[in-house]
Amino acid sequence: AEMDALVTRGERTEPEPLSRVYDLAYHWDAAKDKRRALAYGLAAADQARGQFALDVAAEQYALAGRNAEGATQAVRFRMARGRGEALMLIGHFEKAAAELDRALPLAELPYDTADVIGLKGVLAHRMGMITDSIGNFEEALGRLGVSVPRTAVGLGASISKEVLVQTFHSLLPNRLHRRKPDRESDLCNWLLGQIEWPYYQHHVPSLLWASFSGLNRAELFPPSLSLVVQYVVHANDMGVLGWNSRAERYYDAAEKLSSELDDYWGIALATSHRAMGTVAAAAYEKGDKNARAGMELFSKIGDVGERHLAHAFLTVNLLRSGNLVEAAKESQELLHSCVRHDDNFIGTLALSYLTQSCLGHTAFDEFVGSVRVHPGHHLGHTCLL
């Protein structure tokens, strides 16, 4: 009874074994006791999400939803938002979109609205809808008070300012991490890290602004997962631009911090994305190792989009090292998985890598219809050309 009351109010409890909470949720659902089924369904869903049992989380959010008659708007928002995120991570994009669309009008706080719009940005990006993704991220940032530069002059001035700020951060590191953490700032830093991916495929100057702006903001607050994300994406950007020593330094920082925070997803992210920097540095053997480790970690976590990205890193490292047979095998497997999950972001890369590794001797005209290049996805369009 105590746990039932705490869960209904959304408070934290000492976690019971997931199997026990799951069994209780199933029991009360079968018994048609809607109040307890809702409470234990939410408890099981939240606990499963925390343990990366994403299929179970989606199932339990759905169970809670079946028993949500009379639930408050906040509880119904929590269910729709949680299930939408879980479905997105396991690659059920259309169902995830429906849940997030359901969650958005239920959001009562500006933070919750920005959070859901940001998730819609991630989802649109993974589906290859780059223009929509950028629009969602920019709207979410705007709701948190972050102004995104709109003109070429404003963008140039903003990049110059952020580079100058980063210079001071590098010279005076003892003045960092002093601000009191708050969830709005943490969400803002996460959004700036996420928006870099659609910018990378659409407009590189905007990518540079987001890279330095996000890093500068995150460094003002105590170390957190959002800072790990900023370290990783900044390292990616520096690697692409050829500043390999700086990229290596920030990959190291991301791995160290995620280990200190004991954050499994952060460790997987830092491990996997280092394989992107190795391509620019021509360290293909190291990239192969990191990409395979990233694939294994994200397979355990259940994050299909990040697993596809790690697989793409593996394929391009194999391709650049001249291992064409293995690169063709991996890129074909990757393409099949992307098509199955409607991942048009990585799908275009996979088809490009498959064609290159087969030296053009592949049924490109048959394969090209399996991926969609939406407006604004300049990188995907270039890959197919």
Side-chain angles (χ1 to χ4, degrees):
E2 179 185 8
M3 182 180 180
D4 179 27
L6 288 170
V7 170
T8 303
R9 293 198 302 270
E11 297 178 14
R12 295 289 183 182
T13 63
E14 286 298 317
E16 294 192 40
L18 177 57
S19 58
R20 173 173 166 74
V21 182
Y22 178 93
D23 288 344
L24 285 168
Y26 178 80
H27 167 77
W28 293 121
D29 181 50
K32 308 298 182 184
D33 188 327
K34 291 185 176 296
R35 187 175 67 88
R36 288 188 173 87
L38 170 62
Y40 282 92
L42 278 176
D46 290 347
Q47 195 169 333
R49 175 66 183 90
Q51 296 175 5
F52 302 113
L54 298 174
D55 288 324
V56 175
E59 176 187 321
Q60 289 300 304
Y61 280 124
L63 181 150
R66 292 197 300 269
N67 294 278
E69 183 179 333
T72 65
Q73 182 171 327
V75 170
R76 286 185 285 121
F77 167 79
R78 180 179 162 195
M79 289 185 294
R81 190 264 182 213
R83 188 160 190 260
E85 181 191 38
L87 288 169
M88 177 185 71
L89 292 173
I90 60 179
H92 296 173
F93 292 156
E94 290 188 5
K95 292 180 180 178
E99 290 293 336
L100 293 176
D101 286 340
R102 187 175 296 115
L104 191 56
L106 295 172
E108 297 178 300
L109 302 174
Y111 172 90
D112 292 330
T113 300
D115 176 44
V116 173
I117 294 173
L119 288 175
K120 287 170 66 70
V122 176
L123 178 60
H125 167 245
R126 293 189 175 189
M127 296 176 72
M129 301 165 65
I130 303 305
T131 302
D132 291 346
S133 177
I134 291 172
N136 282 321
F137 283 130
E138 290 182 346
E139 181 183 351
L141 286 167
R143 288 177 179 270
L144 296 173
V146 177
S147 178
V148 178
R150 302 288 183 181
T151 66
V153 174
L155 184 57
S158 296
I159 292 173
S160 300
K161 173 190 171 185
E162 297 298 342
V163 170
L164 184 61
V165 171
Q166 178 56 209
T167 302
F168 280 111
H169 283 196
S170 299
L171 295 174
L172 302 170
N174 59 314
R175 300 185 64 84
L176 304 178
H177 311 301
R178 293 187 174 187
R179 287 192 185 176
K180 185 178 180 180
D182 63 86
R183 64 175 192 163
E184 285 77 12
S185 297
D186 200 55
L187 176 58
C188 174
N189 295 333
W190 178 81
L191 289 169
L192 284 168
Q194 293 297 318
I195 199 174
E196 289 196 40
W197 283 105
Y199 276 159
Y200 178 74
Q201 298 152 70
H202 184 80
H203 192 237
V204 172
S206 296
L207 163 70
L208 290 175
W209 167 78
S211 179
F212 283 101
S213 177
L215 180 61
N216 290 338
R217 289 172 180 271
E219 286 181 332
L220 297 176
F221 297 90
S224 65
L225 178 60
S226 63
L227 182 58
V228 172
V229 173
Q230 289 297 336
Y231 281 164
V232 170
V233 295
H234 186 72
N236 290 343
D237 300 338
M238 296 301 102
V240 169
L241 293 173
W243 196 346
N244 296 320
S245 60
R246 184 176 177 88
E248 191 72 12
R249 188 163 71 250
Y250 276 90
Y251 285 129
D252 289 340
E255 286 192 4
K256 182 175 182 294
L257 178 55
S258 55
S259 296
E260 290 173 355
L261 296 172
D262 195 25
D263 191 288
Y264 194 73
W265 187 86
I267 293 170
L269 188 76
T271 301
S272 168
H273 283 242
R274 189 187 286 268
M276 179 177 179
T278 59
V279 176
Y284 305 125
E285 185 175 345
K286 185 176 181 180
D288 182 295
K289 179 181 177 182
N290 278 92
R292 292 182 191 276
M295 288 174 62
E296 182 178 354
L297 290 170
F298 280 119
S299 292
K300 292 179 180 178
I301 290 173
D303 190 330
V304 170
E306 285 292 345
R307 178 171 58 80
H308 283 170
L309 196 53
H311 204 163
F313 295 153
L314 171 64
T315 303
V316 73
N317 274 280
L318 290 168
L319 178 61
R320 295 292 176 258
S321 66
N323 191 344
L324 300 185
V325 173
E326 190 70 13
K329 172 180 172 292
E330 295 294 343
S331 56
Q332 188 164 14
E333 290 181 5
L334 175 59
L335 178 60
H336 287 167
S337 183
C338 288
V339 171
R340 189 166 63 252
H341 291 96
D342 199 27
D343 184 343
N344 296 297
F345 160 44
I346 301 298
T348 54
L349 298 177
L351 182 52
S352 174
Y353 297 154
L354 175 61
T355 305
Q356 292 178 62
S357 57
C358 293
L359 303 178
H361 300 294
T362 187
F364 178 83
D365 291 339
E366 295 179 19
F367 286 138
V368 73
S370 64
V371 294
R372 291 178 289 175
V373 184
H374 295 281
H377 192 177
H378 301 330
L379 176 61
H381 186 67
T382 302
C383 285
L384 295 187
L385 287 177

